[in-house]
Amino acid sequence: MKTLLLITIGSALVNNVVLSQFLGLCPFLGVSKNVKTAAGMGGAVIFVITIASFFTSLIHQCILAPLNLEYLNTIVFILVIAALVQFVEMFLKKKSKGLYQALGVYLPLITTNCAVLGVALTNVQKEYNILYGTINGLFVAVGFTIAIVIMAGIREKIEYNDIAPAWKGMPIVLLTAGLMAIAFIGFSGLI
C-alpha cells in the first residue's frame, strides 16, 4: 500500500509530467486557453494514458519480455497509443461534438504526445507490474490534468490584465509555466 501511495503522489505532483519532466508541452500550451477545453483535454489524456499504460504493460510483460523482444517496445507502444487515440477521437466525435471541435488538432496530437509514450516506457524502465504501471499512468494523467487546468485558469485571468506588449501571448504563458514549475518543486518534500 505504501508503494501505491508513493506512486500516486510522486506521479501526480512531485514528478509532474509537464512541470517536472517537460513532456506533453504541446497540448499543455495549446489547449490551456479555456478551463472547459483544458478539462476536456485532461479527461481524454487520463483515459488514453491509463488505458495505454495497462495495455503496454500487459503486452510488455506477457509478449515482449518472455520472447526477448524488448527492443520492439517503442514501436509496439506507439501503435497501441495510436489505436487508443483513434478510439477516443471517434467516441468524442459521436458523443461530444462540442468538445471534439474545441480540442481540434490537439486531439490527434495525443498520439504523438511524448507524455503518453514516456509513461509507457517509464513503466517498463521502473519494472512496474501491470497494476503499478496502470496506477502510475492514471496519476501521471491526473497530474497532467491538474497542470493544464491550473494553467487555463491563470490564462483566463491574464486576459483581463494590463500586460506590456512584449509579454503578450506566448511569452507570458511560458513565464507562467516556469513559475508553475518552480511552485511544483515545493511538492518534492512530500515523498
Side-chain angles (χ1 to χ4, degrees), residues 16-83:
N16 187 285
V17 71
V18 176
L19 300 173
S20 294
Q21 299 174 11
F22 307 111
L23 299 174
L25 289 176
C26 181
F28 175 71
L29 296 174
V31 182
S32 62
K33 295 177 184 174
N34 178 310
V35 172
K36 186 177 178 183
T37 306
M41 179 64 148
V45 168
I46 287 173
F47 178 78
V48 169
I49 289 182
T50 304
I51 300 300
S53 295
F54 173 76
F55 282 114
T56 56
S57 294
L58 185 69
I59 289 169
H60 174 75
Q61 291 183 8
C62 296
I63 299 171
L64 298 177
L67 297 174
N68 291 325
L69 298 173
E70 285 97 352
Y71 62 91
L72 294 175
N73 278 343
T74 304
I75 295 168
V76 171
F77 293 173
I78 288 172
L79 293 173
V80 169
I81 292 164

